[in-house]
Amino acid sequence: MTRTVWDSSVGKKTVMAVSGLIMLMYLVVHMLGNLKIFFGSGDFNHYAHWLRTLGEPFLHYEWALWIIRVVLVVAVVAHATAAYQLSRRDIRARPSKYVHKKPGSSYATRTMRWGGIILGLFIVWHILDLTTGTAHPGGFQSGHPYQNVIDTFSTPYGDVIYIVAMLALGLHIRHGFWSAAQTLGAGSRTRDRALKTIADVLALVLTVGFISVPVGVMTGLVS
C-alpha cells in the first residue's frame, strides 16, 4: 500500500507537501532563534545551550536536538527525492521543451528546481560551517555560536553564500507553500488569494529575518 502511494504522482506530491511544511515550521522557529543575536552574545549563547538541554531531565543532553535533526534529515531527503522523481517523470512525459512558457508561471515556479539545488548545497555548507566547524573561516569555538556566526559573516564569501541561499529560499517558499496547500486540498477559489498572500508574507518575513543577521554583522550592529 505504502509503495503504491509512493509510486503515484499524487503520493510524491503529498510527500513533498508534508515534508515541506515540516521544514517550514522549523525555519520559522530557527529564524526567531537567529534573531536573538541582536540581543547580545549572552542571550544568543544561552539560547544555543537551551536547545541542547531541551527536554531534560526526561531526555538526556542533546537528545531533543538530535531528534529534531533526524526529523529534518528525513524531511529533506523525502522532499528532494520526491522532487527529483517527479521532475524526471515530467521530462519523460514531454521530452520536448515548451516553445512558450506556461501561462501564469511565475519566476519562482520556473526556478524551483535550481532553487532546490542551491538550498541543498547551502545546507551542506551551513552544517560544515556552523555545526561541525569543518569549513568555518575562523577558529571554530564549540559552545560559542555567537562568535562563530560573527566569524562567518565577517567574510565576503560567507555573506554572499548565505544571502543568495536565503533569496532562493524566499522564492522556494513563495511557490512551495501555495503548491502544498493545493496538494493537501486546502486550496479553493475563495481561499486561493488568501493562501497566496500568506505565502508572500511568509517568504518575505523569513527572507528578511534570515538576511538581517549577516547584514547586522556587516554593518557593525552585531559585533
Side-chain angles (χ1 to χ4, degrees):
M1 175 66 179
T2 304
R3 184 55 189 261
T4 303
V5 173
W6 171 252
D7 285 342
S8 69
S9 294
V10 173
K12 293 184 191 300
K13 288 179 180 179
T14 301
V15 168
M16 282 190 70
V18 173
S19 59
L21 291 175
I22 289 172
M23 290 186 284
L24 180 60
M25 288 188 289
Y26 167 77
L27 286 169
V28 171
V29 175
H30 187 42
M31 181 203 69
L32 292 173
N34 280 4
L35 294 179
K36 282 185 172 289
I37 201 166
F38 291 100
F39 296 93
S41 60
D43 274 20
F44 192 71
N45 288 341
H46 177 70
Y47 164 69
H49 177 71
W50 172 80
L51 285 176
R52 286 158 175 75
T53 59
L54 187 64
E56 288 186 344
F58 179 71
L59 296 176
H60 287 293
Y61 183 76
E62 284 197 345
W63 275 24
L65 188 58
W66 275 106
I67 290 170
I68 293 170
R69 286 169 175 167
V70 169
V71 170
L72 282 172
V73 168
V74 171
V76 169
V77 170
H79 195 80
T81 302
Y84 174 76
Q85 291 183 357
L86 281 170
S87 176
R88 298 303 302 171
R89 184 171 293 181
D90 186 46
I91 290 171
R92 284 196 299 270
R94 49 176 182 81
S96 300
K97 291 185 178 180
Y98 290 122
V99 176
H100 302 289
K101 293 183 177 74
K102 287 182 180 180
S105 64
S106 66
Y107 181 76
T109 306
R110 297 194 299 272
T111 56
M112 281 294 282
R113 290 171 188 168
W114 281 110
I117 293 171
I118 290 171
L119 290 171
L121 294 173
F122 168 76
I123 289 171
V124 173
W125 173 80
H126 197 51
I127 291 172
L128 292 175
D129 177 29
L130 292 174
T131 301
T132 67
T134 309
H136 191 66
F140 183 78
Q141 301 178 54
S142 180
H144 295 83
Y146 183 89
Q147 187 57 50
N148 292 334
V149 169
I150 289 178
D151 289 344
T152 293
F153 296 134
S154 295
T155 62
Y157 74 85
D159 294 324
V160 171
I161 291 173
Y162 194 87
I163 291 172
V164 168
M166 292 308 100
L167 291 173
L169 176 68
L171 289 173
H172 212 75
I173 290 171
R174 183 174 178 268
H175 173 71
F177 179 83
W178 183 82
S179 181
Q182 303 302 308
T183 298
L184 298 176
S188 70
R189 264 186 172 180
T190 56
R191 289 195 291 261
D192 273 1
R193 180 174 292 181
L195 287 170
K196 286 181 179 179
T197 300
I198 293 171
D200 289 342
V201 171
L202 275 171
L204 180 62
V205 169
L206 285 168
T207 302
V208 172
F210 280 120
I211 287 178
S212 67
V213 177
V215 171
V217 175
M218 283 188 286
T219 57
L221 188 60
V222 176
S223 61

